[in-house]
Amino acid sequence: MQITGTFIDEISHDIPHQNWGREEWDRDFGYMKAVGIDTVIMIRSGYRRFITYPSAFLQKQYGCYAPPVDLVEMFLELADKHGLKFYFGLYDSGHYWDTGNLQDEIDANRFVIDEVWKQYGHFKSFGGWYLSMEISRKTKGATNAFRTLGQQCKDVSGGLPTFISPWIDGKKAVMAATSQLSKEDAVSLRQHEEEWSEIFDGLQGSVDAVAFQDGHIDYHELEDFFAINKKMADRFGLQCWTNAESFDRDMPIKFLPIKFEKLRLKLEAARKAGYDKAITFEFSHFMSPQSAYLQAGHLYNRYKEYLQSLR
Amino acid sequence: MQITGTFIDEISHDIPHQNWGREEWDRDFGYMKAVGIDTVIMIRSGYRRFITYPSAFLQKQYGCYAPPVDLVEMFLELADKHGLKFYFGLYDSGHYWDTGNLQDEIDANRFVIDEVWKQYGHFKSFGGWYLSMEISRKTKGATNAFRTLGQQCKDVSGGLPTFISPWIDGKKAVMAATSQLSKEDAVSLRQHEEEWSEIFDGLQGSVDAVAFQDGHIDYHELEDFFAINKKMADRFGLQCWTNAESFDRDMPIKFLPIKFEKLRLKLEAARKAGYDKAITFEFSHFMSPQSAYLQAGHLYNRYKEYLQSLR
Amino acid sequence: MQITGTFIDEISHDIPHQNWGREEWDRDFGYMKAVGIDTVIMIRSGYRRFITYPSAFLQKQYGCYAPPVDLVEMFLELADKHGLKFYFGLYDSGHYWDTGNLQDEIDANRFVIDEVWKQYGHFKSFGGWYLSMEISRKTKGATNAFRTLGQQCKDVSGGLPTFISPWIDGKKAVMAATSQLSKEDAVSLRQHEEEWSEIFDGLQGSVDAVAFQDGHIDYHELEDFFAINKKMADRFGLQCWTNAESFDRDMPIKFLPIKFEKLRLKLEAARKAGYDKAITFEFSHFMSPQSAYLQAGHLYNRYKEYLQSLR
């Protein structure tokens, strides 16, 4: 199963920044292309006061800082140059995490979507939208909000595709800023299917693909969960992608590149389940030959050998 | 706002060692010089049993280990060579942290200051003293101790300048060896001003500059706190420096180089407040092109571009 | 005191993987050899479902994943090539950690030992066995199990040597996956001697060497603990090795390469106590010039200078 998409984690919650400039990004898009990646997904356009493009709206309304570089423009130009599709990730004001109220996210993004499409919609590589709030089964009440956001993205852009990347509430679903590695009260297969069927039912028509994060369950659980995900996606007319995490959740340093054997287990499970596409979180820190984590360059080499073995 | 000084964190509490020899330090002083750094500050001459120079006194009195290299001599020689000023950071026995009693630190450093000045005072680059114990508002009782130490440094060295680098008791003032990133009970602006006015009043004459660490408050709080710091410094005749932390306090890995955008926000806030000088903690791990953290080299490049944009 | 052995930490509990292929391992064995290492110890042949060689038994009986590479074969071939001795570390099913029952480890390894000796016993470099379960004083009840396993290794292989590498239950004996650095209830010298004498008594004849991990006590405690370890080893006819940890236990990032000064203190303590051999955990992450942690390459250089100074 080949990885054909990657997130770009500028505006990060938990991955230290590499401080790359245009030159490094240009080179990285080349490294991506060389292993078959055709899609880059900017994970979010902003989080609280940090934003990726000089949004007049967000600076005025949310007190956001003027960004030193227009990353959206840069990524789109580089995506054009390298022939990649670019997905735009919505803004996360952080208010939902503070108050439990999603209305604010809807209101903010109504403006963001319009603003962004007006400024950047003409780029050839602008290929879709990523509904960036990461949901899990506990966010069922949020289905309406996601449908609204997805619909808005489609309406403004002539129906460009949208996707979400939720997590499975498995044993490794713990906060990054704790020293814990796992928890006891993981979701069962049956609960997972019940709850996500309800969510997917509510999202029909406004979301085109679901890319479950693959790192919260144990490796021997992959097969069962992936089979259910595929079944549900088929039932509700969604494309079934896997978000193959290329960082290691099992280690005290949160987070460094994953051991290749683990990535391979996860990709193989997605292949067996008949998934439509694999994307990764994310190439530039965890798989790139120029990553500050040198393990990433070795992972790149191991992954290339794996691709060759598939031919 | 240009960074013109950096700590050197040999004898570290929380930053893993790079195991550099003289060759690497020589090269690093060159990298510093190239971006306008004129001052290096050895953060402490010792902590508990680990020391930076072969002090007969500390080995005998505190059971300190014989250091493999005389770092003080090496740094002074290299500072001479590169035309940098060297500040000497006092010894921290650790007893204060264990017992709450500062008398021991005063006693130990009385000897250290004499010993060091006798051995190294002749170096052209020996330019000042750093009162290395990091205080916050909770350490008000310690004002006398700091005055005594600062006075002693000045007396022995013909009045060489002294400075302190306290922290603001803000929301990010949490221990490095916990997984927490923030806390609830942060200090208010009013409390901050009241308590530090009292401390600065007690330090007059023995301390020449205060360099508040800039990483414990949120970015949108910088302007208000910096304005107060400058006002207080002016009132009590201190130079107002900023200690611009070049590591990222917002990430689970404690600590890797900061995102350039954040460093820029902090430097700009210091500039707007009319600060006298910017130093950083610290160049060699977090901003150096030869740092083991490759993000640091990219930060160096982004910072150089920023300097060029200021011209 | 020269380090002449190193663990190889493939199948790791807590050290992120470097994703090396055969080329990197070949080069690393060369780097080891160049500083006098004559022994490599594969720390464990498997942990739970991850294994180092395609064991039919473990895949069938324990649901282990088919490994992408036969690491045992590769390490033995490279050890042959570079003239190193290879020690094989036993399998750890993880069941003991879950249930407190060691019988399962004995049963599993009975098969593993036979299988491995049959498949790989002909390699010239196959030089011994490592009883991989890390025990401490709290595991006294396990003495029988270890005797059984050690005996089995010897019986099948014509008496090849075996060793263990327990930890001292000192102040730094805390879990890697917590943010803590130390604890209060450390073992006393007297308890340590009492309890380990009992354990060593039970292991006589089936274990040839004990290599206590040297990182759980403070540096000024090394001398006393090492003297007792040597005394006990002599009394019970064991070789006394030190497992010189080359990672730093005193830092919030768990774990990066150790400060050379600390490693030197530990090696010097082992030398003074008359230890027979020093091994390290472990060369490839923490001392290798090609480690992803660039501090390791500098440690390699400092260590080489130290070796030269001993001549």
Side-chain angles (χ1 to χ4, degrees), chain C residues 17 37 50 52 81 173 184-185 187 258 261 264 285 291-292 299:
Chain C
H17 204 264
I37 286 176
F50 287 98
T52 52
K81 174 180 169 187
E184 294 297 325
D185 57 328
V187 72
I258 200 168
E261 181 178 5
R264 199 191 61 151
H285 283 89
S291 167
L299 181 56

Side-chain angles (χ1 to χ4, degrees), chain C residues 293-307:
Chain C
Y293 305 135
L294 300 182
Q295 303 94 336
H298 295 295
L299 181 56
Y300 188 77
N301 293 334
R302 299 293 84 76
Y303 175 70
K304 279 201 302 187
E305 292 163 7
Y306 168 70
L307 289 187

Side-chain angles (χ1 to χ4, degrees), chain B residues 14-21 24 49-50 65-66 68 176-179 253-255 292-294, chain C residues 179-181 218-220 250-253 256-262 264-265 294-295 298-299 302:
Chain B
D14 43 22
I15 312 296
H17 205 264
Q18 302 206 76
N19 289 308
W20 286 356
E24 286 82 19
R49 291 171 190 261
F50 286 98
Y65 310 123
T178 64
S179 54
I253 300 182
K254 293 186 173 178
F255 301 98
Y293 305 136
L294 300 182
Chain C
S179 54
Q180 270 184 287
L181 295 177
D218 212 335
Y219 304 95
H220 64 273
D250 308 327
M251 296 288 147
I253 300 182
L256 294 186
I258 200 168
K259 185 181 187 178
F260 169 64
E261 181 178 5
K262 295 178 178 176
R264 199 191 61 151
L265 283 171
L294 300 182
Q295 303 94 336
H298 295 295
L299 181 56
R302 299 293 84 76

Side-chain angles (χ1 to χ4, degrees), chain B residues 87-107:
Chain B
Y87 276 64
F88 180 90
L90 298 189
Y91 172 67
D92 180 349
S93 75
H95 295 199
Y96 169 68
W97 307 112
D98 298 339
T99 66
N101 185 348
L102 265 167
Q103 191 54 44
D104 226 36
E105 306 302 329
I106 299 177
D107 295 344

Side-chain angles (χ1 to χ4, degrees), chain A residues 179-181 218-220 250-253 256-262 264-265 294-295 298-299 302, chain C residues 14-21 24 49-50 65-66 68 176-179 253-255 292-294:
Chain A
S179 54
Q180 270 184 288
L181 295 177
D218 212 336
Y219 304 95
H220 64 273
D250 307 328
M251 296 288 147
I253 300 181
L256 294 187
I258 199 168
K259 184 180 188 178
F260 168 66
E261 182 177 5
K262 295 177 179 176
R264 198 191 60 151
L265 283 172
L294 300 182
Q295 303 93 337
H298 296 295
L299 180 57
R302 299 295 83 75
Chain C
D14 43 20
I15 312 296
H17 204 264
Q18 303 207 76
N19 289 309
W20 287 356
E24 286 83 18
R49 292 172 190 260
F50 287 98
Y65 310 123
T178 64
S179 54
I253 300 182
K254 293 186 173 178
F255 301 101
Y293 305 135
L294 300 182

Side-chain angles (χ1 to χ4, degrees), chain A residues 42-45 89-92 130-134 146 163:
Chain A
M42 193 179 70
I43 197 161
R44 53 187 76 82
S45 45
L90 299 189
Y91 172 68
D92 181 349
Y130 169 55
L131 309 183
S132 65
M133 284 197 72
E134 296 177 20
F146 283 88
F163 84 98

Side-chain angles (χ1 to χ4, degrees), chain C residues 42-53:
Chain C
M42 194 179 69
I43 196 158
R44 53 187 75 82
S45 45
Y47 176 61
R48 298 190 189 261
R49 292 172 190 260
F50 287 98
I51 54 179
T52 52
Y53 72 102

